[in-house]
């Protein structure tokens, strides 16, 4: 009787975990679809912000409507799941993104921003295809570099805004980056990337290949 109850409880727990991960997968898939549709429909990426509400809304949207930025956030979340304390890597990425915004606000020049973001996407894709070679410190440094350039690029529309809109914009971006990165991390753990033997599912390998392709396309467009 006790064994039966224990078995049923374990099965129910696995079912709940599966449904929870499916929600994460669905949410990220929806965000990627939104990003693709935004790119195809010509949604204006350059915009001006006049008040705190607009700043907050654009802060939520900017990491999503830019496909190159979105896949970078997803990648850092997936890659962080390889390590037990990988949430710290996602945290470093988030802090670097905020720092990149601040650097742009103070009008410090970051040359080749789009090229750097595209290259970081290619690097993330390559890492996803061979997670057994991952090093915590190297991933953290790559994540920090990517976050700095992404934050710098996103801050283009907030440079001339006041302090309150800037704070609202940073809050919006921080919320989106945290939510997407942590959801991707949960997916990575759920499909086995976080296991000790680090078995790489073919779907994650395919995602890495897709990231490399996206990065190459954006890099080509940046160099033209």
């Amino acid at each position: 009787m006790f064994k039966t109850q224990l078995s049923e409880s374990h099965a129910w727990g696995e079912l709940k975990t599966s449904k929870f991960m499916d929600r994460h997968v669905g949410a990220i898939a929806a965000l990627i679809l939104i990003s693709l549709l935004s790119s195809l429909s010509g949604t204006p990426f350059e915009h001006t912000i006049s008040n705190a509400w607009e700043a907050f809304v654009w802060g939520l949207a900017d990491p999503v409507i830019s496909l190159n930025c979105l896949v970078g956030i997803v990648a850092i979340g997936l890659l962080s799941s390889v390590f037990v304390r990988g949430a710290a890597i996602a945290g470093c990425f988030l802090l670097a993104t905020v720092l990149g915004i601040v650097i742009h606000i103070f009008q410090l020049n970051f040359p080749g921003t789009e090229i750097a973001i595209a290259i970081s996407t290619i690097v993330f894709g390559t890492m996803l295809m061979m997670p057994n070679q991952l090093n915590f410190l190297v991933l953290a440094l790559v994540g920090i570099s990517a976050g700095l350039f992404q934050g710098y690029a996103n801050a283009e529309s907030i440079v001339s805004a006041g302090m309150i809109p800037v704070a609202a914009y940073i809050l919006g971006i921080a919320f989106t980056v945290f939510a997407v990165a942590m959801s991707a991390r949960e997916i990575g753990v759920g499909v086995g990337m976080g296991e000790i033997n680090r078995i790489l599912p073919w779907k994650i390998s395919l995602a890495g290949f897709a990231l490399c392709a996206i990065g190459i396309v954006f890099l080509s467009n940046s160099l033209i």
Side-chain angles (χ1 to χ4, degrees):
M1 175 101 178
F2 176 74
K3 288 184 178 180
T4 301
Q5 290 177 342
L6 186 61
S7 177
E8 289 178 352
S9 176
H10 181 69
W12 175 248
E14 288 185 345
L15 180 61
K16 287 178 66 178
T17 301
S18 177
K19 288 183 177 180
F20 188 62
M21 195 181 75
D22 287 345
R23 290 175 184 174
H24 284 302
V25 172
I28 288 184
L31 290 177
I32 292 175
L33 179 60
I34 289 171
S35 185
L36 285 170
L37 291 175
S38 297
S39 300
L40 294 174
S41 63
T43 298
F45 291 97
E46 296 182 3
H47 43 268
T48 56
I49 293 173
S50 59
N51 56 62
W53 175 248
E54 286 183 358
F56 180 71
V57 171
W58 277 112
L60 293 173
D62 275 347
V64 175
I65 62 176
S66 175
L67 181 61
N68 207 16
C69 290
L70 175 60
V71 295
I73 301 169
V74 173
I76 200 70
L78 288 173
L79 290 167
S80 70
S81 68
V82 171
F83 303 99
V84 176
R85 296 175 180 168
I89 295 175
C92 288
F93 178 86
L94 173 57
L95 291 176
T97 301
V98 174
L99 180 58
I101 295 172
V102 173
I103 289 173
H104 200 149
I105 290 172
F106 282 96
Q107 298 183 354
L108 300 177
N109 187 36
F110 264 17
T113 304
E114 297 299 326
I115 294 175
I117 294 174
I119 291 174
S120 67
T121 301
I122 296 172
V123 172
F124 283 144
T126 305
M127 287 180 169
L128 276 173
M129 289 189 285
M130 48 181 189
N132 290 329
Q133 309 299 322
L134 281 180
N135 178 276
F136 186 93
L137 182 58
V138 172
L139 178 57
L141 290 175
V142 173
I144 290 170
S145 299
L148 281 172
F149 282 103
Q150 286 197 21
Y152 186 90
N154 287 332
E156 184 68 37
S157 60
I158 201 72
V159 172
S160 59
M163 288 303 298
I164 294 178
V166 166
Y169 184 80
I170 291 175
L171 181 63
I173 275 196
F175 180 84
T176 297
V177 170
F178 177 81
V180 174
M182 288 299 101
S183 294
R185 176 174 165 78
E186 289 295 327
I187 293 171
V189 172
V191 298
M193 288 187 68
E195 295 177 357
I196 296 176
N197 56 9
R198 296 183 184 180
I199 299 172
L200 180 63
W202 67 270
K203 291 181 181 179
I204 297 298
S205 182
L206 183 61
F209 180 79
L211 256 68
C212 286
I214 291 171
I216 290 171
V217 170
F218 276 94
L219 181 60
S220 300
N221 291 337
S222 300
L223 293 175
I224 293 176

